[in-house]
Structures are given as C-alpha cells and as structure tokens.
Amino acid sequence: MLTVGANAAKVESQLSSGELACPDCGDALGPWGWARVRVLRGGSVPVVVRPRRARCVGCGVSHVLLPVFALVRRADLAEVIGAALAAKAAGAGARAIAVGLGRPVETVRGWLRRFAGRAEDVRVAFTVLLVDTGVDPVPPAPAATPFADAVAAVVGAAVAAASRWPDVGEVSPWRLACAVSRGRLLAPSWP
C-alpha cells in the first residue's frame, strides 16, 4: 500500500515516468492494473475511486496506490473520520457524533476505539513530525485526555508543515495524517 496524491492523472504520469518509488526497496514502480472499485462516503456526494496498482521493477512486489483522502479498510473519506476524531477530542460522545455525520453509531465507535487505543503512539509520531518540520515549532499544550492530545498533535503537525511548505496548507490535517501514516491511521499495523 502506498499513499499517493488525489489527482489520478498526475499519479498516472508519475507512475509511467518512474517517479514513484517502492516503499520496500526504493526502486521504481511501474503500472500493473487496478484494484477494485471503492465507494467512499463523503459530504453529500459519494466518491468513487478505483485505485491504481503498481509493481516494483526491482523486488517485484505489487502495491495499491491509495489516494491521500482514503484510509485503508475504511468506507469514509479522511475528512469525515477526522471530523469525528476532532469532535470526540472536544468532548462529544459517539452517538452525537454519529448523528452529526450521518453514520452508524457502531462505525463511529469503531473509529474512536481504534484511535483511542493508539492515541499515545499517534501523539508521539505527530509531535515529532511537528518539531522536525516546523519553522519555529510550538508543541501543543497538554489537553484534557490522551485522545485530545493525539488530535492536537495531528493538527499541530499540519500547521507546522504548512509553515514550511505553503502548498501543504491547502491540505486538511486529516489528509496529511493519511499521507504520514500511509493510509493506516486506523489500521492495526500502524504505527
């Protein structure tokens, strides 16, 4: 699995010209078919994606090129899940969040439980990113809960990245979180 940009034409161009590197060995990736079609729930209109597959010319391993707005094994856009995480950090409960987002309560509870189970690891990873990338980094002040600390670290890392690279400021903190975690923010295998 490799997280790539949201512009499919640009990703295709990068793939054809050998600009994308294998996350395992660093060799160039080449086109190798398509993954199954996925429908991601977003705001008012579902987003249909068919992720590209690529194969490494060096080690021969294939990878799905997941757009930066999608998380592995999740049917909702990163911004939707991020909104739920931010609402929880602000003190909202799973039922209220689910109603506000129009999602099943069990789905929202699953997101919140998975994130809560790794909140300290997420906080550490994104605080390190914040300090390493920020022009004049200011780590977030301690929040009321470890969950809120982790959400603050994600948002703080996005602000720090935008201070160094202005184009990153056009990307939501949750897309940045997808890119940093390689789409695995809520997957069992990260961090």
Side-chain angles (χ1 to χ4, degrees), residues 42-139:
S44 58
V45 178
V47 177
V48 179
V49 293
R50 187 172 185 205
R52 189 70 153 114
R53 290 187 70 84
R55 188 169 181 163
C56 178
V57 297
C59 65
V61 174
S62 69
H63 301 278
V64 173
L65 306 181
L66 191 66
V68 73
F69 52 79
L71 288 167
V72 173
R73 302 181 61 88
R74 302 294 168 183
D76 291 279
L77 294 175
E79 284 82 0
V80 174
I81 295 170
L85 299 177
K88 174 65 175 174
R95 288 186 192 278
I97 295 168
V99 168
L101 294 175
R103 300 296 183 268
V105 174
E106 286 307 313
T107 298
V108 172
R109 276 197 188 116
W111 300 337
L112 302 179
R113 284 181 186 143
R114 179 59 58 98
F115 192 81
R118 66 171 42 145
E120 180 60 18
D121 293 331
V122 170
R123 184 196 63 78
V124 168
F126 282 91
T127 301
V128 167
L129 178 65
L130 182 156
V131 170
D132 287 349
T133 61
V135 175
D136 190 15
V138 178

Side-chain angles (χ1 to χ4, degrees), residues 162 165-172:
W165 302 288
D167 289 346
V168 173
E170 299 171 9
V171 176
S172 79

